[in-house]
Amino acid sequence: SYVLTQPPSVSVAPGKTARITCWGNTIGSKSVHWYQQKPGQAPVLVIYHDRGRPSGIPERFSGSNSGSTATLTISRVEAGDEADYYCQVWDSGSDHRVFGGGTKLTVL
Amino acid sequence: QVQLQQSGPGLVKPSETLSLTCTVSGGPISDHYWSWIRQPPGKGLEWIGYIYYTGSTNYNPSLKSRVTISVDTSKKQFSLKLSSVTAADAAVYYCAGEREGSSYFDYWGQGTLVTVSS
C-alpha cells in the first residue's frame, strides 16, 4: 500500500514562512491535497491538486509537488495558522485514499 | 453547499458493532464518493473506506474484514458498520464526501467520538 510520510512537527516564528513536506514514492506523479485541522474540529481542505486553493483560503497558502516530495508553504505565518496539517493522495492502483501521518505546526 | 450530519451512538461495548449514519443535505448524493475516516485520540487520520452512490465500495485492507458501508439514496444517507470492536477502535469518526473525479474531500461531517467500553 502507498505510504505518505510527514515530519511530526514544524515550528516557525510569526511573519516567517513555514514549509511542511510530504514524502511518497514518485508522489510527483500524483495529485496531492492538504488539510488543516484545528483542535476539536473537522479537517478543512486548504490545497487541492497540488496547488489549487479553495475559495476562502488565503493566498498565503500555496503548494508544490515534484519527484518524491510535496510541499505546503504558508507565507507570513499567523498565530491562527497553528494546527495539524495532513497531506492526502488517491492511490490509483488500489483506488484507496491515503493520508500522511500529519504535521503539527507551532507558531512560536 | 453540501452539508453532512452524522448520527449514531458514542458508546459501544467491546465485541459489538459500531453503527453510524451520515445524512447529505444541500446537494446531490449522486456523482459523489462518500467515505468514512477515523482519528484515534491524539493520532492522525485513517481512511476506512468509501461507497459510490451506485453502491460500489472499497475498503482499507486493515479494516476490510470488519467494515460494511452502505447507502440509501432515497434518504440521502450512507452508513458505517464496524463489527467486533475493541479499545483500538475508539476514535472520532468522520464522514466525508468527494465529487467524482476530484479525489479530495471537500465535505466533512462534524465528527462523532466513539468510546469502546463495557
Side-chain angles (χ1 to χ4, degrees):
Chain A
S1 60
Y2 194 75
V3 176
L4 296 173
T5 302
Q6 299 181 236
S9 62
V10 168
S11 298
V12 63
K16 300 299 185 183
T17 297
R19 293 180 179 84
I20 298 172
T21 53
C22 177
W23 295 285
N25 184 33
T26 63
I27 196 174
S29 65
K30 301 180 182 297
S31 279
V32 179
H33 319 299
W34 291 91
Y35 302 87
Q36 176 194 69
Q37 186 182 35
K38 295 182 178 180
Q41 298 182 17
V44 172
L45 182 72
V46 294
I47 293 289
Y48 63 91
H49 290 318
D50 297 340
R51 56 183 69 246
R53 201 171 46 249
S55 173
I57 300 301
E59 292 183 5
R60 301 183 297 104
F61 288 79
S62 62
S64 63
N65 183 19
S66 178
S68 60
T69 307
T71 303
L72 171 68
T73 301
I74 309 172
S75 305
R76 303 181 300 282
V77 167
E78 303 172 357
D81 298 330
E82 189 164 280
D84 294 325
Y85 291 85
Y86 295 89
C87 57
Q88 179 251 316
V89 300
W90 169 58
D91 181 23
S92 59
S94 62
D95 195 24
H96 292 165
R97 284 67 176 151
V98 180
F99 288 98
T103 298
K104 180 176 181 58
L105 176 66
T106 299
V107 181
L108 301 171
Chain B
Q1 175 71 338
V2 173
Q3 293 187 322
L4 303 181
Q5 180 67 40
Q6 298 179 218
S7 58
L11 179 63
V12 183
K13 292 182 169 58
S15 80
E16 296 193 344
T17 297
L18 178 161
S19 295
L20 297 172
T21 296
C22 190
T23 301
V24 179
S25 62
I29 196 167
S30 60
D31 304 323
H32 286 73
Y33 290 86
W34 303 103
S35 284
W36 288 95
I37 295 159
R38 72 179 183 178
Q39 185 173 36
K43 296 189 177 181
L45 301 169
E46 179 182 30
W47 177 75
I48 297 170
Y50 76 67
I51 189 162
Y52 191 48
Y53 75 101
T54 58
S56 64
T57 56
N58 198 344
Y59 301 134
N60 187 321
S62 68
L63 296 167
K64 185 175 183 177
S65 63
R66 298 192 291 129
V67 172
T68 302
I69 300 176
S70 58
V71 66
D72 185 334
T73 55
S74 65
K75 294 182 178 179
K76 295 182 69 176
Q77 293 179 335
F78 61 102
S79 299
L80 169 71
K81 290 189 184 301
L82 180 66
S83 64
S84 305
V85 300
T86 68
D89 295 310
V92 176
Y93 285 75
Y94 294 100
C95 59
E98 61 178 272
R99 285 168 290 148
E100 184 175 1
S102 74
S103 79
Y104 55 84
F105 304 106
D106 44 3
Y107 321 126
W108 291 78
Q110 78 275 23
T112 300
L113 175 60
V114 175
T115 302
V116 178
S117 176
S118 55

